[in-house]
Coordinates of all heavy atoms in Angstrom, one line a residue:
M1 N 85.8 130.6 142.7 CA 85.0 129.5 142.4 C 85.8 128.4 141.8 O 86.9 128.6 141.3 CB 83.8 129.9 141.4 CG 84.2 130.0 140.0 SD 82.8 130.4 138.9 CE 82.3 131.9 139.6
K2 N 85.3 127.2 142.0 CA 85.9 126.0 141.4 C 84.8 125.3 140.6 O 83.7 125.1 141.0 CB 86.4 125.1 142.5 CG 87.5 125.6 143.3 CD 88.0 124.7 144.4 CE 89.0 125.3 145.3 NZ 89.4 124.4 146.4
A3 N 85.2 124.9 139.4 CA 84.3 124.2 138.5 C 85.0 122.9 138.1 O 86.2 122.9 137.7 CB 84.0 125.0 137.3
F4 N 84.3 121.8 138.3 CA 84.9 120.5 137.9 C 84.1 120.1 136.6 O 82.9 119.9 136.7 CB 84.7 119.5 139.0 CG 85.5 119.8 140.2 CD1 85.0 120.7 141.2 CD2 86.7 119.2 140.4 CE1 85.8 121.0 142.3 CE2 87.5 119.5 141.5 CZ 87.0 120.4 142.4
I5 N 84.8 120.1 135.5 CA 84.1 119.8 134.2 C 84.8 118.7 133.4 O 86.0 118.4 133.7 CB 84.1 121.1 133.4 CG1 85.5 121.7 133.1 CG2 83.2 122.2 134.1 CD1 85.5 123.0 132.3
K6 N 84.1 118.3 132.4 CA 84.7 117.2 131.5 C 85.8 117.8 130.7 O 85.7 118.9 130.1 CB 83.6 116.7 130.6 CG 82.5 115.9 131.3 CD 81.5 115.3 130.4 CE 80.6 114.4 131.1 NZ 79.6 113.8 130.2
P7 N 86.9 117.1 130.5 CA 88.0 117.6 129.7 C 87.7 118.0 128.3 O 88.2 119.0 127.8 CB 89.0 116.4 129.7 CG 88.7 115.6 130.9 CD 87.2 115.8 131.1
K8 N 86.7 117.3 127.7 CA 86.4 117.7 126.3 C 85.7 119.0 126.2 O 85.5 119.6 125.1 CB 85.6 116.6 125.6 CG 84.2 116.4 126.2 CD 83.5 115.2 125.6 CE 82.2 114.9 126.2 NZ 81.6 113.7 125.6
R9 N 85.2 119.6 127.3 CA 84.6 120.9 127.3 C 85.4 122.1 127.7 O 85.0 123.2 127.7 CB 83.3 120.9 128.2 CG 82.3 119.7 127.8 CD 81.8 119.8 126.4 NE 81.0 121.0 126.2 CZ 80.4 121.3 125.1 NH1 80.6 120.6 124.0 NH2 79.6 122.4 125.0
V10 N 86.6 121.8 128.2 CA 87.5 122.8 128.8 C 87.8 123.9 127.8 O 87.7 125.1 128.2 CB 88.8 122.2 129.3 CG1 89.8 123.2 129.8 CG2 88.5 121.3 130.5
Q11 N 88.2 123.6 126.6 CA 88.6 124.6 125.7 C 87.5 125.6 125.4 O 87.7 126.8 125.4 CB 89.1 124.0 124.4 CG 89.8 125.0 123.4 CD 91.1 125.5 124.0 OE1 91.8 124.8 124.6 NE2 91.4 126.7 123.7
K12 N 86.3 125.1 125.2 CA 85.2 126.0 125.0 C 84.9 126.9 126.2 O 84.6 128.1 126.0 CB 83.9 125.2 124.6 CG 82.8 126.0 124.2 CD 81.7 125.2 123.6 CE 80.5 126.1 123.2 NZ 79.4 125.4 122.6
V13 N 85.0 126.3 127.4 CA 84.7 127.1 128.6 C 85.8 128.2 128.7 O 85.4 129.4 129.0 CB 84.7 126.2 129.9 CG1 84.7 127.0 131.1 CG2 83.5 125.3 129.8
I14 N 87.0 127.9 128.6 CA 88.1 128.9 128.7 C 88.0 130.0 127.7 O 88.1 131.2 128.0 CB 89.5 128.2 128.6 CG1 89.7 127.3 129.8 CG2 90.6 129.2 128.5 CD1 90.9 126.4 129.6
E15 N 87.7 129.6 126.5 CA 87.6 130.6 125.4 C 86.4 131.6 125.7 O 86.5 132.8 125.6 CB 87.4 130.0 124.1 CG 88.6 129.3 123.5 CD 88.4 128.5 122.3 OE1 87.2 128.4 121.8 OE2 89.4 127.9 121.8
S16 N 85.3 131.0 126.2 CA 84.1 131.9 126.5 C 84.3 132.8 127.7 O 83.9 133.9 127.7 CB 82.9 131.0 126.7 OG 82.6 130.3 125.5
L17 N 85.0 132.2 128.7 CA 85.3 133.1 129.8 C 86.3 134.2 129.4 O 86.1 135.4 129.8 CB 86.0 132.2 131.0 CG 85.0 131.4 131.8 CD1 85.8 130.3 132.6 CD2 84.1 132.2 132.6
S18 N 87.3 133.9 128.7 CA 88.3 134.9 128.2 C 87.6 136.0 127.4 O 87.9 137.1 127.6 CB 89.4 134.2 127.4 OG 90.2 133.4 128.3
E19 N 86.8 135.6 126.5 CA 86.1 136.5 125.6 C 85.2 137.5 126.5 O 84.9 138.6 126.0 CB 85.2 135.8 124.6 CG 86.0 135.1 123.5 CD 85.2 134.2 122.6 OE1 84.0 134.1 122.8 OE2 85.8 133.5 121.8
S20 N 84.8 137.0 127.6 CA 83.9 137.8 128.5 C 84.7 138.6 129.6 O 84.2 139.2 130.5 CB 82.9 136.9 129.2 OG 82.0 136.4 128.2
G21 N 86.1 138.6 129.4 CA 86.9 139.4 130.3 C 87.5 138.7 131.5 O 88.3 139.2 132.3
F22 N 87.3 137.4 131.6 CA 87.9 136.6 132.7 C 89.2 136.0 132.1 O 89.2 135.1 131.4 CB 87.0 135.5 133.2 CG 85.7 136.0 133.8 CD1 84.5 136.0 133.0 CD2 85.6 136.4 135.1 CE1 83.3 136.4 133.6 CE2 84.5 136.9 135.6 CZ 83.3 136.9 134.9
K23 N 90.3 136.6 132.5 CA 91.6 136.3 131.9 C 92.4 135.3 132.8 O 93.2 134.6 132.2 CB 92.4 137.5 131.6 CG 91.7 138.5 130.7 CD 91.5 138.0 129.3 CE 90.8 139.0 128.4 NZ 90.4 138.5 127.2
S24 N 92.3 135.4 134.1 CA 93.2 134.6 135.0 C 92.4 133.4 135.5 O 91.5 133.6 136.3 CB 93.7 135.5 136.1 OG 94.4 136.6 135.6
M25 N 92.9 132.2 135.1 CA 92.3 131.0 135.6 C 93.4 130.0 135.9 O 94.5 130.1 135.3 CB 91.4 130.4 134.5 CG 90.2 131.2 134.2 SD 89.4 130.7 132.7 CE 89.9 132.0 131.6
T26 N 93.1 129.0 136.7 CA 94.0 127.9 137.0 C 93.3 126.6 136.6 O 92.1 126.4 136.9 CB 94.4 127.9 138.4 OG1 95.1 129.1 138.8 CG2 95.4 126.7 138.7
L27 N 94.0 125.7 135.9 CA 93.5 124.5 135.5 C 94.3 123.3 136.1 O 95.5 123.4 136.1 CB 93.5 124.3 134.0 CG 92.7 125.3 133.2 CD1 92.9 125.2 131.7 CD2 91.2 125.2 133.5
S28 N 93.6 122.3 136.5 CA 94.3 121.1 137.1 C 93.6 119.9 136.5 O 92.3 119.8 136.5 CB 94.2 121.1 138.6 OG 94.7 122.3 139.2
Q29 N 94.3 118.9 136.1 CA 93.7 117.6 135.7 C 93.6 116.8 136.9 O 94.4 116.8 137.9 CB 94.6 116.9 134.7 CG 94.7 117.6 133.4 CD 95.6 116.8 132.4 OE1 96.4 116.0 132.8 NE2 95.4 117.0 131.1
G30 N 92.5 116.0 136.9 CA 92.3 115.1 138.0 C 91.4 114.0 137.7 O 91.0 113.8 136.5
E31 N 91.0 113.2 138.7 CA 90.1 112.1 138.5 C 89.0 112.2 139.6 O 89.3 112.7 140.7 CB 90.8 110.8 138.6 CG 91.8 110.6 137.5 CD 92.5 109.2 137.7 OE1 92.5 108.6 138.7 OE2 93.2 108.8 136.7
G32 N 87.8 111.9 139.3 CA 86.8 112.0 140.3 C 85.8 110.9 140.2 O 85.7 110.1 139.3
T33 N 84.9 110.9 141.2 CA 83.8 110.0 141.3 C 82.6 110.7 141.8 O 82.8 111.7 142.6 CB 84.1 108.7 142.1 OG1 83.1 107.8 142.0 CG2 84.3 109.1 143.6
G34 N 81.4 110.3 141.4 CA 80.2 111.0 141.9 C 79.1 110.1 141.8 O 79.2 108.9 141.6
A35 N 77.9 110.7 141.8 CA 76.6 109.9 141.7 C 76.5 109.3 140.4 O 76.0 108.1 140.2 CB 75.4 110.8 142.0
F36 N 77.0 110.0 139.3 CA 76.9 109.4 138.0 C 78.1 108.5 137.7 O 79.2 108.9 137.9 CB 76.8 110.5 136.9 CG 76.9 110.0 135.5 CD1 75.9 109.3 134.9 CD2 78.1 110.2 134.8 CE1 76.0 108.8 133.7 CE2 78.3 109.7 133.5 CZ 77.2 109.0 133.0
K37 N 77.9 107.4 137.2 CA 78.9 106.4 136.8 C 78.9 106.3 135.3 O 77.9 105.8 134.8 CB 78.8 105.1 137.5 CG 78.8 105.1 139.0 CD 80.1 105.5 139.5 CE 80.1 105.5 141.1 NZ 80.9 106.4 141.7
A38 N 80.0 106.7 134.6 CA 80.0 106.6 133.2 C 80.0 105.2 132.7 O 80.5 104.3 133.4 CB 81.3 107.3 132.7
K39 N 79.3 104.9 131.6 CA 79.2 103.6 131.1 C 80.6 103.1 130.7 O 81.4 103.8 130.1 CB 78.3 103.7 129.8 CG 77.6 102.4 129.5 CD 76.7 102.6 128.3 CE 75.5 101.6 128.5 NZ 74.6 101.7 127.3
G40 N 81.0 102.0 131.2 CA 82.3 101.4 130.9 C 83.4 102.0 131.7 O 84.6 101.8 131.4
A41 N 83.1 102.8 132.7 CA 84.1 103.5 133.5 C 84.8 102.4 134.3 O 84.2 101.4 134.8 CB 83.5 104.5 134.4
S42 N 86.1 102.6 134.5 CA 86.9 101.7 135.3 C 87.7 102.5 136.3 O 88.0 103.6 136.1 CB 87.8 100.8 134.4 OG 88.7 101.7 133.8
P43 N 88.0 101.8 137.4 CA 88.8 102.6 138.4 C 90.2 103.0 137.9 O 90.7 102.4 136.9 CB 89.1 101.5 139.5 CG 88.0 100.5 139.3 CD 87.7 100.5 137.8
S44 N 90.7 104.1 138.4 CA 92.0 104.6 138.0 C 93.1 103.6 138.4 O 92.9 102.9 139.4 CB 92.2 105.9 138.7 OG 93.5 106.3 138.7
L45 N 94.2 103.6 137.7 CA 95.3 102.8 138.1 C 95.9 103.3 139.4 O 96.5 102.6 140.2 CB 96.3 102.8 137.0 CG 95.9 102.1 135.7 CD1 97.0 102.3 134.6 CD2 95.6 100.7 135.9
D46 N 95.8 104.7 139.6 CA 96.4 105.3 140.8 C 95.5 105.3 142.0 O 95.9 105.3 143.2 CB 96.9 106.7 140.5 CG 97.9 106.7 139.4 OD1 98.8 105.8 139.4 OD2 97.9 107.6 138.5
F47 N 94.2 105.5 141.8 CA 93.2 105.6 142.9 C 92.1 104.6 142.7 O 91.5 104.6 141.6 CB 92.7 107.0 142.9 CG 93.7 108.1 143.0 CD1 94.0 108.8 141.8 CD2 94.4 108.4 144.2 CE1 95.0 109.8 141.9 CE2 95.4 109.4 144.2 CZ 95.7 110.1 143.1
R48 N 91.8 103.8 143.6 CA 90.9 102.7 143.5 C 89.4 103.2 143.5 O 88.5 102.4 143.3 CB 91.1 101.7 144.5 CG 92.4 101.0 144.4 CD 92.5 99.7 145.0 NE 93.8 99.1 145.0 CZ 94.2 98.4 143.9 NH1 93.5 98.3 142.9 NH2 95.4 97.9 143.9
V49 N 89.1 104.5 143.9 CA 87.8 104.9 144.0 C 87.3 105.9 142.9 O 86.2 106.3 142.9 CB 87.5 105.6 145.4 CG1 87.8 104.7 146.5 CG2 88.4 106.9 145.5
T50 N 88.2 106.2 142.0 CA 87.8 107.2 140.9 C 87.4 106.5 139.7 O 87.8 105.4 139.4 CB 88.9 108.2 140.7 OG1 90.0 107.5 140.2 CG2 89.3 109.0 141.9
D51 N 86.6 107.2 138.9 CA 86.2 106.5 137.6 C 86.0 107.5 136.4 O 85.6 107.0 135.4 CB 84.8 105.8 137.8 CG 83.7 106.7 138.2 OD1 83.9 107.9 138.4 OD2 82.6 106.2 138.2
S52 N 86.4 108.7 136.6 CA 86.3 109.6 135.4 C 87.3 110.7 135.4 O 87.5 111.3 136.5 CB 84.8 110.1 135.2 OG 84.5 111.0 136.3
P53 N 87.8 111.1 134.3 CA 88.8 112.2 134.2 C 88.0 113.5 134.4 O 86.8 113.6 134.1 CB 89.4 112.2 132.9 CG 88.4 111.4 132.0 CD 87.7 110.5 133.0
V54 N 88.6 114.5 135.0 CA 87.9 115.8 135.3 C 89.0 116.9 135.2 O 90.2 116.6 135.5 CB 87.2 115.8 136.7 CG1 88.2 115.6 137.8 CG2 86.3 116.9 136.9
V55 N 88.6 118.1 134.9 CA 89.4 119.2 134.9 C 88.8 120.2 136.0 O 87.7 120.5 135.9 CB 89.6 119.9 133.6 CG1 90.3 121.2 133.7 CG2 90.2 119.0 132.6
K56 N 89.7 120.6 136.9 CA 89.3 121.6 137.9 C 89.7 123.0 137.4 O 90.9 123.2 137.1 CB 89.9 121.3 139.3 CG 89.5 122.4 140.3 CD 90.0 122.0 141.7 CE 91.5 122.0 141.8 NZ 91.9 121.9 143.2
L57 N 88.8 123.9 137.2 CA 89.0 125.2 136.8 C 88.8 126.1 138.0 O 87.7 126.0 138.6 CB 88.0 125.6 135.7 CG 88.2 127.0 135.1 CD1 87.8 127.0 133.6 CD2 87.4 128.0 135.8
E58 N 89.8 126.9 138.4 CA 89.7 127.8 139.5 C 89.7 129.2 139.0 O 90.6 129.6 138.1 CB 90.8 127.6 140.5 CG 90.7 126.2 141.2 CD 91.8 126.0 142.2 OE1 91.6 126.4 143.3 OE2 92.8 125.4 141.8
L59 N 88.8 130.1 139.5 CA 88.7 131.4 139.0 C 88.3 132.3 140.2 O 87.4 132.0 141.0 CB 87.6 131.5 138.0 CG 87.1 132.8 137.5 CD1 88.2 133.5 136.6 CD2 85.8 132.6 136.6
V60 N 89.0 133.4 140.4 CA 88.7 134.4 141.4 C 88.2 135.6 140.8 O 88.8 136.1 139.8 CB 90.0 134.7 142.3 CG1 89.6 135.8 143.3 CG2 90.5 133.4 143.0
C61 N 87.0 136.1 141.2 CA 86.4 137.3 140.7 C 85.6 138.0 141.7 O 85.4 137.5 142.8 CB 85.5 136.9 139.5 SG 84.1 135.9 139.9
Q62 N 85.2 139.2 141.4 CA 84.4 140.0 142.3 C 83.0 139.4 142.4 O 82.5 138.7 141.5 CB 84.2 141.5 141.8 CG 85.5 142.2 141.7 CD 86.2 142.5 143.0 OE1 85.5 142.5 144.0 NE2 87.5 142.6 143.0
N63 N 82.4 139.6 143.6 CA 81.0 139.1 143.8 C 80.1 139.4 142.7 O 79.3 138.6 142.2 CB 80.4 139.6 145.1 CG 81.1 139.0 146.3 OD1 81.7 137.9 146.2 ND2 81.0 139.6 147.4
E64 N 80.1 140.6 142.2 CA 79.2 141.1 141.1 C 79.5 140.4 139.8 O 78.6 140.4 138.9 CB 79.2 142.6 141.0 CG 80.5 143.2 140.6 CD 81.3 143.6 141.9 OE1 81.0 143.2 143.0 OE2 82.3 144.3 141.7
E65 N 80.6 139.8 139.6 CA 81.0 139.1 138.4 C 80.7 137.6 138.4 O 80.7 136.9 137.4 CB 82.5 139.3 138.1 CG 82.9 140.7 137.9 CD 84.4 140.9 137.8 OE1 85.1 140.2 138.6 OE2 84.9 141.7 137.0
A66 N 80.5 137.1 139.6 CA 80.4 135.6 139.8 C 79.2 135.0 139.0 O 79.4 134.0 138.4 CB 80.2 135.3 141.3
Q67 N 78.1 135.6 139.0 CA 76.9 135.0 138.3 C 77.2 134.9 136.8 O 76.8 134.0 136.2 CB 75.6 135.8 138.6 CG 74.4 135.0 138.0 CD 74.2 133.7 138.7 OE1 74.2 133.5 139.9 NE2 74.1 132.6 137.8
S68 N 77.9 135.9 136.3 CA 78.2 135.9 134.8 C 79.2 134.7 134.5 O 79.0 134.0 133.6 CB 78.9 137.2 134.5 OG 79.3 137.2 133.1
A69 N 80.2 134.5 135.4 CA 81.1 133.4 135.2 C 80.4 132.1 135.3 O 80.6 131.2 134.5 CB 82.3 133.5 136.2
I70 N 79.5 132.0 136.3 CA 78.7 130.7 136.5 C 77.9 130.4 135.2 O 77.9 129.3 134.7 CB 77.8 130.8 137.7 CG1 78.7 130.8 139.0 CG2 76.8 129.7 137.8 CD1 77.9 131.2 140.3
D71 N 77.2 131.5 134.7 CA 76.4 131.3 133.5 C 77.2 130.8 132.3 O 76.8 130.0 131.6 CB 75.6 132.6 133.2 CG 74.6 132.9 134.2 OD1 74.1 132.1 135.0 OD2 74.1 134.1 134.2
I72 N 78.4 131.4 132.2 CA 79.2 131.0 131.1 C 79.7 129.6 131.2 O 79.7 128.8 130.2 CB 80.5 132.0 131.0 CG1 80.0 133.4 130.6 CG2 81.5 131.5 130.1 CD1 81.0 134.5 130.8
I73 N 80.1 129.2 132.4 CA 80.5 127.8 132.6 C 79.3 126.9 132.4 O 79.5 125.8 131.7 CB 81.1 127.6 134.0 CG1 82.4 128.5 134.1 CG2 81.4 126.2 134.3 CD1 82.9 128.6 135.6
L74 N 78.2 127.2 132.9 CA 77.0 126.3 132.7 C 76.7 126.1 131.3 O 76.4 125.0 130.8 CB 75.8 126.9 133.5 CG 75.8 126.8 135.0 CD1 74.6 127.6 135.6 CD2 75.9 125.4 135.5
E75 N 76.7 127.2 130.5 CA 76.3 127.1 129.1 C 77.3 126.4 128.3 O 77.0 125.6 127.4 CB 76.2 128.6 128.6 CG 75.9 128.6 127.1 CD 75.8 130.0 126.6 OE1 75.6 131.0 127.3 OE2 76.0 130.2 125.3
N76 N 78.6 126.5 128.6 CA 79.6 125.9 127.8 C 80.2 124.6 128.2 O 80.8 123.9 127.5 CB 80.8 126.9 127.6 CG 80.4 128.1 126.8 OD1 80.3 128.0 125.6 ND2 80.1 129.2 127.5
A77 N 79.9 124.2 129.5 CA 80.4 122.9 130.0 C 79.3 121.8 129.8 O 79.6 120.6 129.9 CB 80.8 123.0 131.4
K78 N 78.1 122.2 129.6 CA 77.0 121.3 129.5 C 77.0 120.4 128.2 O 77.4 120.9 127.2 CB 75.7 122.0 129.5 CG 74.4 121.2 129.6 CD 73.2 122.0 129.6 CE 73.2 123.0 130.8 NZ 71.9 123.7 131.0
T79 N 76.7 119.1 128.4 CA 76.7 118.2 127.3 C 75.3 117.5 127.3 O 74.5 117.9 128.2 CB 77.7 117.1 127.4 OG1 77.4 116.2 128.4 CG2 79.1 117.7 127.5
T80 N 75.0 116.6 126.4 CA 73.8 115.9 126.4 C 73.9 114.6 127.3 O 72.9 113.9 127.5 CB 73.4 115.4 125.0 OG1 74.4 114.6 124.5 CG2 73.2 116.6 124.1
E81 N 75.0 114.4 127.9 CA 75.3 113.2 128.7 C 75.2 113.6 130.2 O 75.4 114.8 130.6 CB 76.7 112.7 128.5 CG 76.9 112.4 127.0 CD 78.4 112.3 126.7 OE1 79.3 112.3 127.6 OE2 78.8 112.3 125.5
P82 N 74.9 112.6 131.1 CA 74.9 112.9 132.5 C 76.3 113.1 133.0 O 77.3 112.7 132.4 CB 74.2 111.7 133.1 CG 74.2 110.7 132.1 CD 74.4 111.3 130.8
G83 N 76.4 113.7 134.2 CA 77.8 113.8 134.8 C 78.6 114.9 134.3 O 79.8 114.8 134.2
D84 N 78.0 116.0 134.0 CA 78.8 117.2 133.4 C 79.7 117.9 134.4 O 80.6 118.6 134.0 CB 77.8 118.2 132.8 CG 77.3 117.8 131.5 OD1 77.9 116.9 130.8 OD2 76.2 118.3 131.1
G85 N 79.4 117.7 135.7 CA 80.3 118.3 136.7 C 79.6 119.2 137.7 O 78.3 119.1 137.8
I86 N 80.3 120.0 138.4 CA 79.7 120.9 139.4 C 80.5 122.1 139.6 O 81.7 122.2 139.3 CB 79.7 120.1 140.8 CG1 78.8 120.7 141.8 CG2 81.1 119.8 141.3 CD1 78.4 119.8 143.0
I87 N 79.9 123.2 140.1 CA 80.6 124.5 140.4 C 80.4 124.7 141.9 O 79.3 124.6 142.4 CB 79.9 125.6 139.6 CG1 80.0 125.4 138.1 CG2 80.6 126.9 140.0 CD1 79.2 126.3 137.2
Y88 N 81.5 125.1 142.5 CA 81.5 125.5 143.9 C 81.8 127.0 144.0 O 82.8 127.4 143.4 CB 82.6 124.7 144.7 CG 82.3 123.3 144.9 CD1 83.0 122.3 144.1 CD2 81.3 122.8 145.8 CE1 82.7 121.0 144.2 CE2 81.1 121.4 145.9 CZ 81.8 120.5 145.1 OH 81.5 119.2 145.3
L89 N 81.1 127.7 144.8 CA 81.3 129.1 144.9 C 81.7 129.4 146.4 O 81.0 128.9 147.3 CB 80.0 129.9 144.6 CG 80.1 131.4 144.6 CD1 81.1 131.9 143.5 CD2 78.7 132.0 144.2
S90 N 82.8 130.1 146.6 CA 83.2 130.4 148.0 C 83.7 131.8 148.1 O 84.2 132.4 147.1 CB 84.3 129.4 148.4 OG 85.4 129.4 147.6
D91 N 83.7 132.3 149.3 CA 84.2 133.7 149.5 C 85.8 133.6 149.7 O 86.3 132.7 150.3 CB 83.6 134.3 150.7 CG 82.1 134.6 150.6 OD1 81.7 134.9 149.4 OD2 81.4 134.5 151.5
I92 N 86.4 134.7 149.2 CA 87.9 134.8 149.4 C 88.0 135.9 150.5 O 87.6 137.1 150.3 CB 88.6 135.3 148.1 CG1 88.4 134.3 147.0 CG2 90.1 135.5 148.4 CD1 88.9 132.9 147.2
E93 N 88.6 135.6 151.6 CA 88.7 136.5 152.7 C 89.7 137.6 152.4 O 89.6 138.8 152.7 CB 89.1 135.8 154.0 CG 89.1 136.7 155.2 CD 89.4 135.9 156.4 OE1 88.9 134.8 156.6 OE2 90.2 136.4 157.3
D94 N 90.8 137.2 151.8 CA 91.9 138.2 151.4 C 92.8 137.5 150.4 O 92.8 136.3 150.2 CB 92.7 138.6 152.7 CG 93.4 139.9 152.5 OD1 93.5 140.4 151.4 OD2 93.8 140.4 153.5
A95 N 93.7 138.3 149.8 CA 94.7 137.7 148.9 C 96.0 138.5 149.1 O 95.9 139.7 149.6 CB 94.2 137.9 147.4
F96 N 97.1 137.9 148.9 CA 98.4 138.6 149.2 C 99.3 138.4 147.9 O 99.4 137.4 147.4 CB 99.1 137.9 150.4 CG 98.3 138.1 151.7 CD1 97.3 137.2 152.0 CD2 98.6 139.2 152.5 CE1 96.6 137.4 153.2 CE2 97.9 139.4 153.7 CZ 96.9 138.5 154.0
Q97 N 99.9 139.5 147.6 CA 100.8 139.5 146.5 C 102.1 138.9 147.0 O 102.7 139.2 148.0 CB 101.1 140.9 146.0 CG 100.0 141.6 145.2 CD 100.4 142.9 144.7 OE1 101.3 143.6 145.1 NE2 99.6 143.4 143.7
I98 N 102.6 137.9 146.3 CA 103.8 137.2 146.7 C 105.0 138.1 146.7 O 105.8 138.1 147.6 CB 104.0 135.9 145.8 CG1 102.9 134.9 146.2 CG2 105.4 135.3 146.1 CD1 102.9 133.6 145.3
K99 N 105.2 138.9 145.6 CA 106.3 139.7 145.5 C 106.5 140.7 146.7 O 107.6 140.9 147.2 CB 106.3 140.5 144.2 CG 107.5 141.4 144.0 CD 107.5 142.1 142.6 CE 108.0 141.2 141.5 NZ 109.2 140.6 141.5
T100 N 105.4 141.3 147.1 CA 105.4 142.4 148.1 C 104.9 142.0 149.4 O 105.2 142.6 150.5 CB 104.6 143.6 147.6 OG1 103.2 143.2 147.6 CG2 105.1 144.2 146.3
G101 N 104.1 140.9 149.5 CA 103.5 140.5 150.7 C 102.3 141.3 151.1 O 101.7 141.1 152.2
E102 N 101.9 142.3 150.2 CA 100.8 143.2 150.5 C 99.5 142.5 150.4 O 99.3 141.7 149.5 CB 100.9 144.4 149.6 CG 102.0 145.3 149.9 CD 102.0 146.5 148.9 OE1 101.0 146.8 148.3 OE2 103.1 147.1 148.8
S103 N 98.6 142.8 151.3 CA 97.2 142.3 151.3 C 96.5 143.1 150.2 O 96.6 144.3 150.0 CB 96.6 142.6 152.6 OG 95.2 142.4 152.5
I104 N 95.7 142.3 149.4 CA 94.8 142.9 148.4 C 93.4 142.8 148.9 O 92.8 141.7 148.7 CB 95.0 142.2 147.1 CG1 96.4 142.2 146.6 CG2 94.1 142.9 146.0 CD1 96.7 141.3 145.5
K105 N 92.8 143.8 149.5 CA 91.5 143.6 150.1 C 90.4 143.5 149.0 O 89.4 142.8 149.1 CB 91.1 144.9 151.0 CG 91.9 144.9 152.2 CD 91.5 143.7 153.1 CE 92.3 143.9 154.4 NZ 92.1 142.7 155.3
R106 N 90.6 144.2 147.9 CA 89.7 144.1 146.8 C 90.5 143.5 145.6 O 91.3 144.2 145.0 CB 89.1 145.4 146.4 CG 88.1 145.3 145.2 CD 87.4 146.6 145.0 NE 86.8 146.7 143.7 CZ 85.7 146.1 143.4 NH1 85.0 145.4 144.2 NH2 85.2 146.3 142.2
Y107 N 90.2 142.2 145.3 CA 90.9 141.6 144.2 C 90.6 142.3 142.9 O 89.5 142.5 142.5 CB 90.6 140.1 144.1 CG 91.2 139.4 143.0 CD1 92.6 139.0 143.1 CD2 90.6 139.1 141.8 CE1 93.2 138.4 142.0 CE2 91.2 138.5 140.7 CZ 92.5 138.1 140.9 OH 93.2 137.5 139.8
D108 N 91.6 142.7 142.1 CA 91.4 143.3 140.8 C 92.3 142.7 139.8 O 93.5 142.9 139.7 CB 91.8 144.8 141.0 CG 91.4 145.6 139.8 OD1 90.6 145.1 138.9 OD2 91.9 146.8 139.7
P109 N 91.7 141.7 139.0 CA 92.5 141.0 138.1 C 93.3 141.8 137.0 O 93.1 142.6 136.4 CB 91.5 140.0 137.4 CG 90.2 140.5 137.8 CD 90.3 141.5 138.9

């Protein structure tokens, strides 16, 4: 899954996911634009179409764990302001260990 959340909520989201057993995550800083336009937002110096900082959190888990991770992110990324972000859920067809090249049919973190 990929979750795009406000930078000020990242620490709380990561801590809550970790406390619930989700240990492996990837974080990326970025800029985004969407339906909500922050008050006083201005275009990025690098990209003329973006208007707000965002952190992309990527997490791979078993299907049966996905709803728990979604609930944790929803609870901890939410603010009282509009434009809190979005979560995308997608299937992973397979994964490969870089060291061995072996396929991991069932991802086990």
